[in-house]
Amino acid sequence: MLNLLKSSVWHPNTQMKEWESFDKITNGKGIWLIDSDGNKMIDAVASMWCNVWGHSNPQLIKAISDQSKKLQHSSQFNLTTEPAEKLADSLVKTSPGMHKVFYSDNGSSAMEIAIKMALQYWKNIGNEKKTEIATLENGYHGDTFGAMSVGYVPEFFGKFKKQLFTTIQFPVPNKYRMLKGLTINDYQNFCLDKIEKRFSKKDNIAAFVMESGAQVAGGVVIYPKGFQKKISQICKKYDVLFVLDEIATGFGRLGSMLQYEEQKSIPDIVAYGKMLTGGYLTMAATLANKKIYNSFLGEFNDWKHLFHGHTYTGNPIAAAVANQNLKMYKKNNLIKKIQKTSKTFKKFYSEILEIDIVGDIRHKGMLMGIEIVKDKSKKIPISPKQSINKIFFEEGKKNGIYLRTLGNIVMIVPPLAITESELNLLLKRTILTIKSAKSKVV
Ligand SMILES: Cc1ncc(COP(=O)(O)O)c(C=O)c1O
């Protein structure tokens, strides 16, 4: 089939042949995206889950503009900048147990760095045995090779399986798709037992890597209470580093500043991204505790230092906007506001669940995943081969919302500071969209 697309851009995770054109977004204002014809859509996915205050926020724009007039970029190699120092101080202050901040410019890199820190830690302290990484099935940590290895989602990464390093994967208690006859508690204990049995058998695991609070790209699987805490305790017991990915779930997305605090599971290493700059510029950070950091200290020729660095590491404009963003979290009591606004989702649970292609809804904070199924009574999912993204995108557009589905999950991930009335509007439009997409999906 001929590809009629008149554009030089190759779009991410996109079968380009499906598209004849892409709408051009020219402006953004609050929760709204505005295209070149003046059409407005609610940004229902916070521009890939990172927008906090809405588009065109004057205070964030000012922070970018002020810093860009002074210094646009200077490296972190031999030098530092005031915004990067200030941001690292606030991140350490906000993150219990953490000691140092290593900057990068996207979440996948932040996870690569976390993996390198964890593996090198054991070498640095002279332990040559601990070289394996344990993870949860269906986790997602980004699209680079290390991140793909620890977050193996078969549909996404199957083509590269041979090139990825192997990890030891454990099941995740997903309440909607549990083994028959088990309660969620039984299921959770079954998963935890598997981890403990493996850890106690062989002393070769360097780190356990998992998303904090929930798996997002893997289908919005919100962990049952105590699950993450128990894994952190098992890690402590067997001397395995505990590495958390808060890139999608931290900074208020699940209704608390940091999920690891809420889950009482302090990591050795943690990665942040997405919301760090309010969704305005690209920046990520990997934080390590004192034990990890100290293991990297030594004489130059001990070769203990971390061999990692990117051109835009710690970019001062990104750091300046992140500083302003964090200031606004405090000033506006954003986390409390999210907790209150998030209750709006509950009002729509039953109406969404009544739609016969909706199998399940999973919601926490400012994240909702709506699982679309072919057969509700048997929980048969829409085939991963069927592209429902374009259908939902187009139906969403007709209803004035911008949607990007993930597999068979309709993701509702709005800008964190969305108001209750805006969220009401978004959810009403989501219901209309699912209803109108129904006949096209099944
Ligand atoms: C949990 C998690 N980790 C890492 C990443 C990768 O971040 P980035 O897309 O900035 O590379 C994502 C992206 O969605 C994510 O959800």
CSV table of all heavy atoms in Angstrom, one decimal, residues 10 163 244 339 341 364 386 389 394 431:
chain,number,residue,atom,x,y,z
A,10,TRP,N,9.3,10.8,11.3
A,10,TRP,CA,9.0,9.4,11.7
A,10,TRP,C,8.5,9.4,13.1
A,10,TRP,O,9.3,9.7,14.0
A,10,TRP,CB,10.3,8.6,11.5
A,10,TRP,CG,10.1,7.1,11.5
A,10,TRP,CD1,9.1,6.4,12.0
A,10,TRP,CD2,11.1,6.1,11.1
A,10,TRP,NE1,9.3,5.1,11.9
A,10,TRP,CE2,10.5,4.9,11.3
A,10,TRP,CE3,12.3,6.2,10.5
A,10,TRP,CZ2,11.2,3.7,11.0
A,10,TRP,CZ3,13.0,5.0,10.2
A,10,TRP,CH2,12.4,3.8,10.4
A,163,GLN,N,19.3,-9.5,21.8
A,163,GLN,CA,20.3,-8.5,22.1
A,163,GLN,C,20.2,-8.0,23.5
A,163,GLN,O,21.0,-7.3,24.1
A,163,GLN,CB,20.3,-7.3,21.2
A,163,GLN,CG,20.9,-7.6,19.8
A,163,GLN,CD,19.9,-8.4,18.9
A,163,GLN,OE1,18.7,-8.4,19.1
A,163,GLN,NE2,20.5,-9.0,17.9
A,244,LEU,N,14.2,1.8,42.3
A,244,LEU,CA,12.8,2.2,41.9
A,244,LEU,C,12.8,3.2,40.8
A,244,LEU,O,13.6,4.1,40.7
A,244,LEU,CB,12.1,2.8,43.1
A,244,LEU,CG,11.6,1.8,44.2
A,244,LEU,CD1,11.0,2.6,45.4
A,244,LEU,CD2,10.7,0.8,43.7
A,339,GLN,N,-5.1,15.1,45.5
A,339,GLN,CA,-5.9,14.1,46.3
A,339,GLN,C,-7.4,14.4,46.3
A,339,GLN,O,-8.2,13.5,46.2
A,339,GLN,CB,-5.4,14.0,47.7
A,339,GLN,CG,-4.0,13.3,47.8
A,339,GLN,CD,-3.2,13.5,49.0
A,339,GLN,OE1,-3.7,14.2,50.0
A,339,GLN,NE2,-2.1,12.9,49.1
A,341,THR,N,-9.0,16.5,43.9
A,341,THR,CA,-9.6,16.5,42.6
A,341,THR,C,-9.7,15.1,42.1
A,341,THR,O,-10.7,14.7,41.3
A,341,THR,CB,-8.6,17.3,41.6
A,341,THR,OG1,-8.3,18.5,42.2
A,341,THR,CG2,-9.3,17.5,40.2
A,364,LYS,N,-5.8,5.5,40.3
A,364,LYS,CA,-5.1,6.0,41.5
A,364,LYS,C,-4.6,7.4,41.2
A,364,LYS,O,-4.0,7.6,40.2
A,364,LYS,CB,-4.0,5.1,42.0
A,364,LYS,CG,-3.5,5.5,43.4
A,364,LYS,CD,-2.5,4.5,44.0
A,364,LYS,CE,-2.1,5.0,45.4
A,364,LYS,NZ,-1.0,4.3,45.9
A,386,GLN,N,-4.8,-5.8,17.0
A,386,GLN,CA,-5.8,-4.8,16.5
A,386,GLN,C,-5.4,-3.5,16.9
A,386,GLN,O,-5.2,-3.2,18.1
A,386,GLN,CB,-7.2,-5.2,17.0
A,386,GLN,CG,-8.2,-4.3,16.4
A,386,GLN,CD,-9.6,-4.5,16.9
A,386,GLN,OE1,-9.9,-5.4,17.7
A,386,GLN,NE2,-10.5,-3.6,16.5
A,389,ASN,N,-5.6,2.2,18.8
A,389,ASN,CA,-5.2,3.6,19.1
A,389,ASN,C,-5.8,4.6,18.2
A,389,ASN,O,-6.3,5.7,18.6
A,389,ASN,CB,-3.6,3.7,19.1
A,389,ASN,CG,-3.1,5.1,19.1
A,389,ASN,OD1,-3.5,5.9,20.0
A,389,ASN,ND2,-2.4,5.5,18.1
A,394,GLU,N,-9.2,9.1,16.9
A,394,GLU,CA,-10.1,9.9,16.0
A,394,GLU,C,-11.5,10.1,16.7
A,394,GLU,O,-12.0,11.2,16.6
A,394,GLU,CB,-10.3,9.1,14.7
A,394,GLU,CG,-9.1,9.5,13.8
A,394,GLU,CD,-8.9,8.6,12.6
A,394,GLU,OE1,-9.7,7.6,12.4
A,394,GLU,OE2,-8.0,8.9,11.9
A,431,ILE,N,-16.3,9.1,28.1
A,431,ILE,CA,-17.4,8.2,28.1
A,431,ILE,C,-18.0,8.2,26.7
A,431,ILE,O,-18.3,7.2,26.0
A,431,ILE,CB,-18.5,8.4,29.2
A,431,ILE,CG1,-17.9,8.1,30.5
A,431,ILE,CG2,-19.8,7.7,28.9
A,431,ILE,CD1,-18.6,8.5,31.7
